[in-house]
Amino acid sequence: MTTFVHYPLLWGLLLVGVPVLIHWINMLRQKRVPWAAMEFLLASQKKHRTWIVFQQLLLLLLRMAAIAAVVLMLAQPVLQSGWGAWLGGVRTHHIVLLDDSFSMSERWDDTSAFDQAKTVTGRLVESLAREGDHTFTLQRFSQAGRPVRGTQPDFLEERVDSTFPDRLKTRLADLRPSQTAVGPLAAMEAVAHLLGQGEGERRIVYLVSDFRVRQWDDPGPLRKMLLDWTAAGVEVRLVQCVQGSRPNLAVRDLRPGPGTRAAGVPLFMEVTVENFGDTPVENVPVLIEADGQAQPALSIPRIPPRQAVKERFPVRFATAGEHRISVRLEADAVQDDNFRWAVIDVPAHVPVLLIDGDPEALDARYLSAVFAPGGPANTGISPRIETPRYLTLHPLEPFQAVYLLNVDRLDRSALAALEQYVAAGGGVGIFLGERSSSQVLNDEWHRQGQGLFPLPVEKPVDLPVDYLQRIPDLQLTDHPIFQVFAGARNSFLTSVIVRRYFSVPKDWRPGAEADVAVIARLRNGAPLVVERRFGRGRVVAFLTTAAPTWNNWARDNPSFVVAMLELQAYLTARPTAETPRLVGQPLELSLDAARYEPQVRFITPREDLSPTTVEEAEAAANGQLRATLVNTDVSGIYEARLVRNDGREEVRGFAVNVDPAEGDLRVLDYPELASRLDGVPHQFQLASRYEYAEGEQGGYNLGTALLCFVAVLLVAEQLLAYAASYHPPSWQRAEVLGGGA
């Protein structure tokens, strides 16, 4: 059986009659003129009439065949049998790029986007099996998106015979949408790498996807690759598996909120839920589990359209160690983004170092009373009071925060150790006092913005008493340390009196120093509390004392306790430690080679989908071992079971979650998609109404063979025309040209 890529061009076969029509018109124009001198020529013509008519008829047929061959070449016939190869035809290779990202799990009625994709793929192959000889490749997005290259497609250049539809049906029945958010670019690159240049075959690529706004609204690299393909002769078919956008909720984030993280101390978790729909959603229940035990559910009153709302809920763990928290939403269009997990490492207590420059350690004792009040009140903070010499003799890494209180001077090594601690992510709180020296602060601690102290200072000055306006001495911002006081009339804050503080140069402005911000001022506008980001850590400096010597804040004022606990929580926050791990990203684990065996056993959340594996850790720098789990295909809690050198086992948990951005179900309709792909030749159809394009089913395209055939016909026509025409001898031509008789 033969099909054609461009059926309408077959109307051009009517042009085959043009040579006959021209010959007939010429016959009508001829007139008989009797001429006695030509009688002998007529006799000769009658003698050779049969051969002359045969030549003329053959010439006419060649001209008709040439026109027919040109028309067929443009229509591109496709022969559905192996004879096409003998005739110089080009094999047709069908390549299906199947989107199996988790947005394809979107359900409506009794079907889903992925079901539509599988149905279209199956119907295509069934049609090919009926029509003739073909090859077929099936590449899923998630396979190509794996970090390990070399993952083979489900089918690679398989010949479509009578048994292939059943094999494909069996394979498709086992396929489910993945939990990845990989786009089409990885699959396109993988196919281009696997299949090479594709010389000598016709290629049709089917992008079977949902065409979400997320990947296709600005498809720069995608469009470029499609243009490269079509320029190389690849035919592109776009098959969209969804119609219209649907609303969807997704858990965007789950992480610990600010506060001290310690055993027996209440901790607030923050959950963020995003509404990807175009209408608001009200009373959204969030179900919570902690260590496998159900907790009181959280209800979010309202989530505006296209916005995310963050809410807090409390948890409390009586024991130290790793604890696991999960949240989930009620079922909606897509399920995978309704879940989120977190692993929280809760220490028995939080060690804090208080460095006091006064031998009596007055400032340190006030802060210590806040951090460890004793009795039933448990803050989880374990303060340790030391002198400045401690910084030179001992490492700072064991401490979650370091406080410098009324310190006059630090050794160069101590200051370097402190700066290294902050740059690595540590937090330092500084309170000035009588022992503080502006010269030391400026020359050694600040160093024109290169040191850890946030700003230059001048000298201690007194704040004049306000007898008239009664403006509170403390003017706070909405910084996380003071956010707890926002929006409330706090009588305790209004009773704080600051008598003395370090002034700053009049021409100093926060913008002059990098990563510096004033987070609290006095009523006269002078900075009182200043923050600086230093490396990955942070420094918060109070230009007054912690003890009630230059102020009365710590003397029987509850707001001081609250502010210092918030300061401690802020200094110990480690944003980089909460970086989410997403499905599909390798899970890397660093181990101390002196403490652990190199074998690491990874337990996955779903043994049926991703079995347990044992990975051999490789040697890394600084005596470390690095173990990597490459395939993190499902979301949930992964466990790494380690064996110490003393034989004891240790278990570490890791939360792996889906990329919530994939839950945005907005799609581009075809006019919008076509505008993004301007200049890319393609065909587009909806999966629910898919019809096979003309020439799509072909086996061997004979276009190239017909081009060669046309060339042969034209050469043969010219040779026959020359042979059938009259050519006088050379001597006669010479006489005519020379004017002879």
Side-chain angles (χ1 to χ4, degrees):
M1 179 179 176
T2 303
T3 59
F4 294 87
V5 177
H6 306 293
Y7 270 105
L9 294 181
L10 293 179
W11 287 100
L13 291 176
L14 296 176
L15 298 175
V16 171
V18 171
V20 179
L21 181 62
I22 293 174
H23 180 71
W24 181 69
I25 293 174
N26 287 331
M27 292 289 292
L28 292 178
R29 293 174 58 187
Q30 294 178 2
K31 295 182 179 180
R32 292 181 176 270
V33 179
W35 186 18
M38 297 297 295
E39 291 296 330
F40 75 95
L41 292 176
L42 292 175
S44 175
Q45 183 185 21
K46 290 179 181 179
K47 181 178 179 180
H48 300 284
R49 178 181 180 84
T50 303
W51 172 245
I52 294 173
V53 171
F54 175 76
Q55 283 183 317
Q56 292 178 344
L57 181 61
L58 184 60
L59 182 62
L60 181 64
L61 291 176
L62 282 175
R63 290 170 177 170
M64 295 173 64
I67 294 175
V70 170
V71 173
L72 292 174
M73 177 188 68
L74 296 176
Q76 294 188 35
V78 181
L79 188 61
Q80 313 293 339
S81 72
W83 287 102
W86 294 95
L87 296 176
V90 178
R91 180 187 294 274
T92 301
H93 185 185
H94 302 265
I95 305 163
V96 174
L97 304 183
L98 183 60
D99 186 353
D100 63 339
S101 58
F102 77 79
S103 64
M104 289 286 287
S105 65
E106 176 190 350
R107 299 202 64 84
W108 66 93
D109 299 333
D110 58 347
T111 187
S112 70
F114 197 65
D115 290 340
Q116 294 286 317
K118 293 195 294 185
T119 300
V120 164
T121 304
R123 287 169 52 198
L124 170 64
V125 169
E126 289 175 358
S127 175
L128 299 180
R130 291 193 301 267
E131 298 294 339
D133 192 12
H134 319 273
T135 56
F136 181 84
T137 292
L138 176 62
Q139 173 72 69
R140 283 179 284 152
F141 285 13
S142 63
Q143 288 176 306
R146 287 175 179 267
V148 176
R149 293 299 179 186
T151 303
Q152 288 292 316
D154 294 277
F155 297 99
L156 178 61
E157 296 189 86
E158 291 271 349
R159 186 159 184 168
V160 181
D161 55 19
S162 59
T163 65
F164 185 73
D166 290 334
R167 289 192 288 135
L168 176 68
K169 183 178 180 180
T170 302
R171 182 67 185 126
L172 291 177
D174 295 334
L175 297 184
R176 299 290 183 272
S178 70
Q179 292 190 347
T180 65
V182 65
L185 187 60
M188 295 167 65
E189 291 174 343
V191 165
H193 175 73
L194 287 171
L195 302 181
Q197 297 298 322
E199 297 179 358
E201 71 174 9
R202 176 193 176 202
R203 292 185 173 183
I204 304 177
V205 173
Y206 307 81
L207 265 172
V208 185
S209 179
D210 46 16
F211 296 97
R212 306 288 181 185
V213 171
R214 178 170 176 257
Q215 285 99 9
W216 292 92
D217 191 39
D218 184 17
L222 295 173
R223 181 175 177 275
K224 182 181 183 302
M225 179 163 283
L226 290 174
L227 284 172
D228 292 342
W229 278 6
T230 54
V234 176
E235 301 169 40
V236 176
R237 310 278 194 266
L238 307 181
V239 184
Q240 190 169 37
C241 300
V242 295
Q243 291 180 263
S245 304
R246 290 179 175 81
N248 183 47
L249 295 178
V251 183
R252 179 175 169 181
D253 196 16
L254 176 65
R255 64 175 64 233
T260 300
R261 196 183 309 179
V265 179
L267 172 68
F268 278 97
M269 296 292 297
E270 294 179 342
V271 58
T272 304
V273 179
E274 187 162 2
N275 177 13
F276 288 115
D278 294 322
T279 58
V281 182
E282 298 181 349
N283 300 321
V284 179
V286 181
L287 305 181
I288 304 168
E289 285 190 1
D291 289 337
Q293 300 296 318
Q295 305 293 311
L298 170 69
S299 180
I300 301 178
R302 188 176 187 272
I303 307 178
R306 302 290 168 191
Q307 293 188 30
V309 172
K310 181 188 297 183
E311 293 286 348
R312 290 183 176 183
F313 61 89
V315 291
R316 183 178 180 275
F317 301 105
T319 60
E322 283 188 350
H323 297 274
R324 302 169 183 190
I325 301 173
S326 65
V327 297
R328 65 182 175 91
L329 306 176
E330 293 182 337
D332 56 6
V334 174
Q335 296 296 312
D336 291 328
D337 57 6
N338 292 342
F339 297 81
R340 203 151 188 95
W341 288 266
V343 176
I344 310 298
D345 189 8
V346 178
H349 57 83
V350 176
V352 171
L353 180 61
L354 306 178
I355 302 295
D356 201 318
D358 185 355
E360 296 184 3
L362 182 62
D363 292 75
R365 284 191 280 115
Y366 270 92
L367 271 187
S368 180
V370 172
F371 294 154
N378 180 19
T379 65
I381 304 172
S382 177
R384 177 171 180 170
I385 301 175
E386 294 289 347
T387 64
R389 182 174 173 78
Y390 184 90
L391 298 175
T392 306
L393 302 176
H394 302 278
L396 301 179
E397 286 73 17
F399 298 98
Q400 294 292 308
V402 177
Y403 292 85
L404 304 179
L405 309 166
N406 198 15
V407 175
D408 54 353
R409 181 182 296 274
L410 292 176
D411 292 341
R412 181 175 299 179
S413 60
L415 188 60
L418 199 60
E419 290 180 350
Q420 184 178 1
Y421 169 77
V422 180
V428 170
I430 301 175
F431 287 83
L432 303 184
E434 289 291 349
R435 290 178 171 269
S436 301
S437 166
S438 57
Q439 182 177 356
V440 172
L441 291 172
N442 294 332
D443 296 344
E444 300 180 13
W445 292 22
H446 180 61
R447 299 198 309 276
Q448 296 182 343
Q450 300 302 310
L452 57 82
F453 196 72
L455 76 171
V457 295
E458 289 185 334
K459 61 180 181 179
V461 296
D462 294 331
L463 180 66
V465 179
D466 180 14
Y467 292 106
L468 298 177
Q469 296 182 339
R470 301 290 183 179
I471 299 175
D473 286 357
L474 289 183
Q475 304 294 316
L476 307 179
T477 65
D478 60 351
H479 190 272
I481 295 175
F482 307 118
Q483 207 167 37
V484 66
F485 303 114
R489 294 173 59 92
N490 195 307
S491 59
F492 296 109
L493 280 177
T494 58
S495 63
V496 174
I497 298 174
V498 178
R499 292 184 290 271
R500 195 167 176 80
Y501 67 98
F502 266 85
S503 63
V504 302
K506 292 183 179 180
D507 59 349
W508 180 84
R509 297 291 182 272
E513 305 286 352
D515 302 322
V516 174
V518 177
I519 61 177
R521 294 181 181 271
L522 294 169
R523 54 179 160 81
N524 64 354
L528 182 67
V529 187
V530 185
E531 176 192 12
R532 181 182 184 189
R533 299 298 179 105
F534 190 86
R536 292 189 295 153
R538 53 188 60 160
V539 178
V540 177
F542 288 74
L543 306 186
T544 187
T545 59
T549 53
W550 285 11
N551 57 72
N552 71 340
W553 198 7
R555 183 177 291 118
D556 300 327
N557 193 318
S559 67
F560 178 77
V561 176
V562 175
M564 293 304 102
L565 291 176
E566 292 294 328
L567 171 64
Q568 167 64 20
Y570 184 70
L571 292 178
T572 56
R574 301 289 188 269
T576 55
E578 309 297 341
T579 302
R581 294 179 173 88
L582 299 180
V583 171
Q585 295 180 351
L587 196 161
E588 295 185 351
L589 178 63
S590 294
L591 305 172
D592 186 351
R595 297 179 57 195
Y596 296 95
E597 297 291 336
Q599 292 80 20
V600 180
R601 187 169 178 236
F602 286 101
I603 310 295
T604 64
R606 291 280 304 273
E607 287 288 327
D608 55 334
L609 300 178
S610 184
T612 297
T613 60
V614 177
E615 301 291 341
E616 189 77 16
E618 299 179 352
N622 301 323
Q624 296 289 306
L625 296 173
R626 178 172 296 173
T628 303
L629 178 65
V630 175
N631 295 327
T632 55
D633 298 330
V634 295
S635 60
I637 304 296
Y638 286 73
E639 290 185 353
R641 298 186 178 271
L642 317 174
V643 179
R644 297 181 181 179
N645 290 338
D646 58 7
R648 290 184 298 171
E649 186 178 68
E650 179 180 321
V651 179
R652 298 185 188 178
F654 302 89
V656 176
N657 294 290
V658 300
D659 184 351
E662 183 71 10
D664 187 352
L665 302 183
R666 287 179 297 169
V667 300
L668 294 171
D669 58 26
Y670 180 61
E672 294 173 321
L673 181 61
S675 67
R676 272 52 167 195
L677 299 178
D678 183 38
V680 178
H682 66 276
Q683 295 184 17
F684 174 88
Q685 291 196 54
L686 290 171
S688 58
R689 298 195 295 267
Y690 190 84
E691 296 180 0
Y692 300 105
E694 294 177 351
E696 187 170 85
Q697 299 89 345
Y700 292 92
N701 192 312
L702 302 180
T704 303
L706 283 173
L707 177 61
C708 299
F709 183 58
V710 168
V712 172
L713 284 177
L714 292 177
V715 171
E717 187 271 342
Q718 288 295 309
L719 293 175
L720 184 60
Y722 181 84
S725 61
Y726 173 72
H727 302 281
S730 59
W731 62 269
Q732 291 183 355
R733 291 197 301 271
E735 288 182 354
V736 171
L737 293 174

